[in-house]
Amino acid sequence: MSPSRILNGAVQSRATTSDRGAASPPPRVADVLARLEKRVLWLSTAIVDHANRVRPNPGGMKVGGHQASSASMTTIMTTLWFHTLTGADRVSVKPHASPVLHAINCLLGELDRPYLTTLRSLGGLQSYPSRTKDPDPVDYSTGSVGLGATAPVWGALARRYVESHFGGVGTGRQFSLIGDAELDEGACWEAIQDPHTAELGEVVWIVDLNRQSLDRVMPHAAAARMSGMFTAAGWQVITLKYGRFLEEVFRRPDGESLRARLDAMSNSEFQRLLRCTPAELRDRLPGAGPDAPAVRRVLAGLGDRELHTALRDLGGHDVDALLDAYAVIDDDRPTVIFAYTVKGHGLASEGHPQNHSSLLTAGQIEELARRTGADAEDPWAPCAPGSPEEALCTETAGRLRRPVFAPQSPPAVPADLGHRAPTGTGNTQQVLGRVLLDLTRRAPDVAERIVTVSPDVSSSTNLGGWLNKVGVWSPAERVDWFADDAETILHWRKRPDGRHIELGIAETNLVGLLGELGSTRSRWGRPLLPIGVVYDPFVGRALEPWSFGMYAGGRSILVGTPSGVSLAPEGGAHQSVTTPSIGVEQPGCVSYEPAFALDTEWCLLAALAGLDAPDGTSAYLRLSTRPVDQRQAAVPEDPAARERRRRQVVAGAYPLRRTPGPVVTFAAMGATVTEALAAADRLAAQGHHADVVCVTSPDLLFRALQARRGLQDDPEWVLDQAFPARRATPLVTVLDGHPHTLAFLATIHNVPVTTLGVSRFGQSGALDEVYAHHGIDTDSLVRAALDLID
């Protein structure tokens, strides 16, 4: 038996137990869904058509859109929304099918019809689904390939975490609608194989297997290989290859010969057959193999219209086959449904290898209107009043109505924990774990909202104490077999009330989860304070998915540590160079690189507060393992002066040393403050006085400078306190990262500048040797200053 027939039998055995919709609906319901699917096909195609051919375009620039990519999804999405989804479910829609989502939302009354004319226009429908920018409901932002597909995995994990800690968010399936070419992305397979994923029975991926990518027909039929990979990862695999009519043809005499021929042919040959006339099909479809005569006999029993229909009768376009598949989803493990489709199904461009962004002509649009029962002169007309389609839309809108989650007021994050300034030697990485532990004692209501995430580097990033205190989150309590081992320092106590989530070594997964943990406020009214910790050299690897999470509205804190050439003993591969400038350039977040322990505490607390602020953002903290003498911070004892210092620290910079009649200023960031102070001392011995400014956030300083120029709306007072005009001198900047990060500081007063930093790949060595190698040691600072002032 074929996989779909085996599936159909399974449906019959479970039809009376499914609580998510009838497994085998009466023909009338299937017919209504089929008619509604034509309406969705028309609307999604017309949305793109209007944007490109009808809407005025004075500039003449291409608008674009994806009619073919939408058409392959219309049956899948129509059956899913109008028959199977519940109000608790959420769906990530493949980027190029966004017109289908907007068409469905319009039919459900969730999008006003005038918006259908605004695709890709300013303030209108976005190119790809966006939670924060589209005017209609969007569950997951998509567009960056692979990231939208995996987001529901992390959404499911975030929902389970919130439910186990605070309750009241319910259940629901998490669907991903994904193109088969998108499975080429490594982000998909990293998510699939993470140990947490195998336990997420609410996760369902539906693969639009149309055998095409953007530029070409996929070279190989890879469904069997991918099925094996999903199965090995513990997923339920359902394959919908052929529709009911074609299955009936296979049961005719010699029908299995036709099945064998279709199964064996390459993707390219199948796509070429879609462009053939019935006469050409009768000549080419049988092939040249030993079963060719049998295939010809089968084709002889089909009329031209039947032959045309049969070749396109794939499982992803068969209403009943799709409903059967939805009915047998196993909620005890994740599920993937491979739904074979035709890209451009029902359009004149169907199956063409270059149809990805092709547009129908005016004549083809009119012909599509006739076939779908639409009116090209009134393209946005609703379903006929009193029709079964209108009734189904009304019923579906009620079924999908979601409960309103009352937003919980987040606790206030303290700005200062009141610690005395340390007097010993320490590094900023150590402060991370200490502040988290202190919050459990001094602000427990804040600490209970903190969830930390790490890709298998908890112990090497100083989270050990926090982890021992709060435990590791797990849906169920697990036995800690090393609990009685006296030599075990880091304890993995896995329980539902744990506050740390440990993932495998995949930074994409880490920040994908961060984005969803940061979205729990907007989804369920339960705000979390998520902190992800990763080695700083790998921030670049995590940047795209983290950026996409921020674009989608998920606020979080990313801590990069250890950082810079402070990792010299571990070699050049573990030395980050570009991350400081990334922090300046990344939208949606504020970046900090503090030098001292108390600075780090204040920056971390400010970042936590920013996650909950109405106009807040995500944050990136770059921390170091280099020991620094904490007395150098010279924190004022007076409470008012201390508070002034704290405000300066979290605003971006503060004057660390002022001298009479300075001839040069050192602006140093992070651990290189030590070298700047030493260089100032040596210059003073030569009769040259130098100011030293400690930069904690070049990001905030740049925003302040832009605000001063009238280009942004940010506070600018910190510039006058850290770099007052009356003390403007030639400037030497230094940091353990790329020197251009601080180069803009010279434009505050347009002074001469020398920028020092790291711009080459590193190598192993002692710290003083490596600092000298990159020219960020004290000698290099002294020479740079003398060159500017002599």
Side-chain angles (χ1 to χ4, degrees), residues 88-127:
D89 299 333
R90 283 177 165 76
V91 188
S92 171
V93 177
K94 82 170 188 177
H96 293 160
S98 64
V100 184
L101 177 61
H102 299 310
I104 289 174
N105 279 336
C106 183
L107 291 171
L108 295 176
E110 296 284 0
L111 180 68
D112 293 337
R113 285 197 294 277
Y115 271 111
L116 299 180
T117 65
T118 67
L119 180 70
R120 300 188 174 206
S121 66
L122 185 64
L125 301 177
Q126 297 299 297
S127 306

Side-chain angles (χ1 to χ4, degrees), residues 407-676:
Q408 295 182 350
S409 298
V413 179
D416 190 341
L417 296 179
H419 292 116
R420 292 181 61 86
T423 58
T425 299
N427 62 62
T428 55
Q429 186 197 83
Q430 294 169 336
V431 182
L432 172 65
R434 194 204 72 201
V435 171
L436 294 178
L437 285 173
D438 280 355
L439 285 171
T440 64
R441 297 185 290 265
R442 301 184 183 217
D445 53 344
V446 174
E448 74 173 1
R449 298 282 175 173
I450 293 175
V451 51
T452 55
V453 187
S454 176
D456 201 38
V457 291
S458 297
S459 58
S460 55
T461 54
N462 262 290
L463 285 181
W466 162 259
L467 192 148
N468 285 342
K469 174 74 173 179
V470 302
V472 179
W473 179 80
S474 174
E477 188 156 0
R478 309 292 171 87
V479 175
D480 179 9
W481 294 105
F482 285 85
D484 59 349
D485 185 346
E487 296 182 4
T488 297
I489 300 175
L490 186 63
H491 293 284
W492 291 90
R493 300 185 179 95
K494 298 181 180 180
R495 54 183 192 257
D497 64 346
R499 299 182 201 166
H500 175 80
I501 302 177
E502 189 84 358
L503 301 177
I505 305 176
E507 285 76 17
T508 298
N509 290 349
L510 167 86
V511 292
L513 178 55
L514 276 184
E516 291 307 314
L517 291 169
S519 298
T520 57
R521 169 199 291 276
S522 57
R523 293 196 192 281
W524 301 290
R526 305 296 194 269
L528 294 176
L529 302 173
I531 302 174
V533 184
V534 63
Y535 273 27
D536 196 64
F538 309 133
V539 165
R541 185 185 298 173
L543 184 61
E544 185 203 357
W546 190 48
S547 177
F548 202 72
M550 287 185 276
Y551 170 81
R555 296 180 186 174
S556 61
I557 296 173
L558 185 62
V559 178
T561 184
S563 64
V565 298
S566 297
L567 274 169
E570 293 196 28
H574 277 185
Q575 298 174 21
S576 54
V577 174
T578 62
T579 47
S581 57
I582 286 174
V584 176
E585 297 154 9
Q586 174 59 47
C589 85
V590 57
S591 69
Y592 291 106
E593 183 171 349
F596 302 104
L598 206 51
D599 294 359
T600 306
E601 175 187 305
W602 290 335
C603 291
L604 179 57
L605 294 174
L608 288 169
L611 298 182
D612 275 329
D615 58 347
T617 65
S618 295
Y620 161 54
L621 272 73
R622 188 176 191 251
L623 305 183
S624 173
T625 51
R626 185 198 170 181
V628 172
D629 183 352
Q630 299 299 306
R631 292 172 298 181
Q632 293 177 334
V635 179
E637 292 286 342
D638 180 81
R642 173 188 170 107
E643 173 58 16
R644 180 173 183 265
R645 166 69 68 85
R646 186 200 66 80
R647 292 181 67 248
Q648 292 171 338
V649 166
V650 300
Y654 60 91
L656 184 57
R657 178 180 294 182
R658 294 290 198 219
T659 59
V663 295
V664 69
T665 299
F666 291 110
M669 186 166 74
T672 59
V673 164
T674 295
E675 277 65 39

